[in-house]
Amino acid sequence: MGNYYQAEWETAPVEKMREHQGKLLKEQVAHTYKNVAYYRDLMDKAGVAPEDIQSVDDLHKLPFLTKDDLREAYPYGLLAVPLADCVRIQSTSGTTGRRVVAFYTQNDIDLWDECCARAIVAAGGTKEDVVHVSYGYGLFTGGPGLNGGSHKVGSLTLPMSSGNTERQIQFMTDLGSTILCCTPSYAAFLAESIKEMGLRDKIKLKAGIFGAEAWSEEMRRHIEKELGIRAFDIYGLTEISGPGVSFECEEQTGMHINEDHFIPEIINPNTGEVLPLGEKGELVFTSISKKAFPLLRYRTRDICVLSREKCSCGRTLIKMAKPMGRSDDMLIIRGVNVFPSQIETVLLSSGFEANYQLVVDRVNFSDTLEVKVELTPDMFSDTVSVIESKENEVVHKLKSVLGIQANVTLVAPKSIARSEGKAVRIIDNRAGKI
Ligand code: DLL
């Protein structure tokens, strides 16, 4: 049995949770219908009235919301309380199109912080810990979310933000950081830098809380070994508050969803049909407790599976598997669906580290996939024939896992740019080519 931040909800019997969800859902639908004209129109068009939603069983009657809706309603169209009641906004990085802006009341922030506190406690955090937050601060939710959670737990919080790796490591050694919070790709980079600086013995880290991007089990093992810690996954998205929508416990077999705040569903992304428990599909969330920016049936585009298997940590909260990636990060190469995380698994299981980039192009009317991966410093000193056999091994493994041929290019150590936040893995040069 583990430690809990809010045992009452983390270990609630399933029936009690469902009743609680039903009550909050009813209130949330009424609140949204009354205050959000944009969603009222969607409900009217779908022929659903607030009275039609009496319990969780009625959830499927509500219309979906998508990222396009959020862009269309930007900036205030989905706000459900007076602006004067909001105390904060956060936003997505907005690489394509308009940014998504989410609003929070003070109570919304308190609930979000509590969700992050649950994640820190599940990773073994207490008020004795030094929580080193290297997620970006600012509009990105990573820094503020884990910062708030750490305050709730009462840990000493180091608001490092991302970047300036030498300073990160100096604070880590001088102040004895025990829990590291950042993206898994940055954790791998920090581990590499700590090793190079010969400071592995000076590091007191015991756990890491890593998320914001897809990462494989092999990556987890790599980080755990290199930093001598246990690495826990954490998931969330700006639209549904930020990190802490779900978090991993000591069992490390998927993330418990904070169901008292967010109701999950898995749907067929093509038809919108709700799929039975255990089937893979697109994750959809309904936020039932936050009031400024309540999203009902929001389609995340994350491809995932839910499970209600009993967990040894004692939590009864439903679990989601590691998302395979976003449906919009999924590459379609010669008609085959390819997730970067599948390629990562192959590379790490062949002895490479997670320094890779995928270059997709279109040559002679056909898609090409090049997997560029750095040689590790050890491999770099191997003979040409050893390196060639490594390259062949990866080509064969990729072919059997993905079902398509990829060109593998081994490049010198440190030649692929490191990321301090979410890693940039894909370069797609196909636009405009037939
Ligand atoms: O990435 C929130 C976050 C911050 C989560 C810190 C965890 C830690 P966005 O920038 O809005 O918010 O991106 C959300 O990132 O829909 C997923 O596709 C992806 N994502 C987030 N966490 C994970 C994870 C933050 N643990 C989008 N595994 C989501 C895989 C993740 N993908």
Side-chain angles (χ1 to χ4, degrees):
M1 292 291 261
N3 297 320
Y4 315 113
Y5 181 69
Q6 288 168 315
E8 185 194 356
W9 292 113
E10 293 177 60
T11 61
V14 173
E15 312 76 57
K16 175 179 164 184
M17 179 62 81
R18 217 170 154 78
E19 207 174 295
H20 172 79
Q21 288 177 325
K23 178 173 163 287
L24 262 58
L25 174 66
K26 236 174 110 171
E27 286 169 16
Q28 190 75 312
V29 172
H31 168 68
T32 309
Y33 191 84
K34 178 160 171 263
N35 297 303
V36 182
Y38 189 95
Y39 198 72
R40 180 160 65 237
D41 284 351
L42 289 181
M43 281 179 65
D44 289 348
K45 274 190 205 128
V48 194
E51 308 74 70
D52 296 332
I53 310 300
Q54 293 296 326
S55 73
V56 180
D57 294 334
D58 299 320
L59 185 60
H60 67 98
K61 297 177 185 164
L62 290 169
F64 291 117
L65 274 174
T66 64
K67 201 158 201 150
D68 287 342
D69 289 309
L70 267 61
R71 291 193 173 126
E72 203 171 311
Y74 173 90
Y76 298 125
L78 290 165
L79 187 62
V81 298
L83 199 53
D85 292 348
C86 296
V87 297
R88 172 98 67 81
I89 68 149
Q90 302 287 162
S91 175
T92 57
S93 47
T95 41
T96 51
R98 279 176 174 169
R99 283 176 176 278
V100 167
V101 173
F103 297 83
Y104 304 74
T105 63
Q106 183 56 54
N107 193 54
D108 294 343
I109 299 238
D110 286 338
L111 299 180
W112 175 26
D113 289 349
E114 285 171 7
C115 288
C116 290
R118 291 181 188 180
I120 293 171
V121 171
T126 67
K127 67 190 287 297
E128 310 299 331
D129 277 292
V130 179
V131 177
H132 188 114
V133 185
S134 307
Y135 286 112
Y137 280 65
L139 288 170
F140 179 54
T141 53
L146 271 306
N147 194 93
S150 173
H151 277 217
K152 290 268 182 209
V153 176
S155 312
L156 176 64
T157 313
L158 271 53
M160 300 301 302
S161 198
S162 54
N164 204 335
T165 300
E166 274 191 23
R167 188 180 62 191
Q168 301 269 0
I169 296 171
Q170 189 182 351
F171 270 87
M172 209 177 264
T173 49
D174 292 352
L175 293 167
S177 307
T178 53
I179 299 184
L180 172 64
C181 307
C182 61
T183 57
S185 46
Y186 193 50
F189 179 40
L190 279 168
E192 186 182 30
S193 307
I194 289 167
K195 198 173 182 178
E196 277 171 13
M197 290 161 81
L199 291 174
R200 176 72 157 70
D201 293 348
K202 301 265 179 310
I203 298 292
K204 297 206 175 65
L205 289 177
K206 62 175 190 188
I209 303 178
F210 307 130
E213 63 186 4
W215 55 308
S216 58
E217 283 300 328
E218 285 69 20
M219 179 80 154
R220 186 207 303 268
R221 283 194 280 278
H222 171 75
I223 297 172
E224 289 192 330
K225 181 168 145 274
E226 292 298 309
L227 286 175
I229 62 170
R230 291 193 74 189
F232 298 89
D233 204 351
I234 183 167
Y235 168 91
L237 59 165
T238 314
E239 300 90 314
I240 307 293
S241 78
V245 170
S246 65
F247 62 95
E248 223 169 28
C249 64
E250 68 224 25
E251 206 183 78
Q252 294 179 308
T253 53
M255 293 172 276
H256 290 286
I257 297 175
N258 284 313
E259 281 184 278
D260 47 331
H261 300 293
F262 318 106
I263 307 180
E265 296 171 275
I266 293 284
I267 62 162
N268 175 327
N270 302 317
T271 62
E273 177 205 355
V274 179
L275 298 177
L277 205 61
E279 282 195 27
K280 187 164 79 181
E282 180 180 344
L283 190 54
V284 172
F285 280 110
T286 296
S287 55
I288 49 177
S289 57
K290 68 192 183 112
K291 290 297 171 204
F293 197 68
L295 298 189
L296 306 177
R297 299 199 87 202
Y298 181 66
R299 292 183 60 159
T300 64
R301 303 192 200 180
D302 291 320
I303 304 297
C304 196
V305 181
L306 298 178
S307 149
R308 274 228 183 264
E309 263 174 45
K310 199 167 184 303
C311 188
S312 60
C313 77
R315 285 180 187 79
T316 48
L317 298 170
I318 197 166
K319 270 188 188 172
M320 57 183 269
K322 259 181 184 307
M324 291 191 71
R326 299 171 63 82
S327 53
D328 41 7
D329 272 352
M330 185 181 79
L331 293 164
I332 302 181
I333 297 168
R334 300 196 283 280
V336 176
N337 298 347
V338 173
F339 283 98
S341 57
Q342 293 173 293
I343 298 177
E344 181 177 295
T345 300
V346 168
L347 295 176
L348 271 73
S349 69
S350 306
F352 289 91
E353 289 174 8
N355 301 313
Y356 65 93
Q357 214 159 35
L358 313 178
V359 185
V360 189
D361 211 334
R362 215 163 154 73
V363 180
N364 294 334
F365 314 107
S366 177
D367 295 331
T368 57
L369 169 64
E370 181 190 9
V371 177
K372 275 191 184 169
V373 60
E374 279 183 13
L375 289 161
T376 63
D378 290 351
M379 293 173 182
F380 199 52
S381 46
D382 282 340
T383 60
V384 174
S385 66
V386 172
I387 291 175
E388 272 174 4
S389 82
K390 260 279 165 254
E391 190 173 316
N392 285 337
E393 178 191 331
V394 175
V395 170
H396 282 112
K397 278 195 190 164
L398 286 174
K399 173 97 182 134
S400 82
V401 170
L402 309 176
I404 55 164
Q405 185 78 29
N407 298 320
V408 174
T409 310
L410 303 181
V411 297
K414 299 270 173 169
S415 56
I416 294 176
R418 302 293 188 262
S419 142
E420 293 165 351
K422 300 191 191 220
V424 180
R425 303 284 194 203
I426 304 170
I427 300 172
D428 195 334
N429 296 323
R430 289 178 293 184
K433 295 184 183 163
I434 52 162

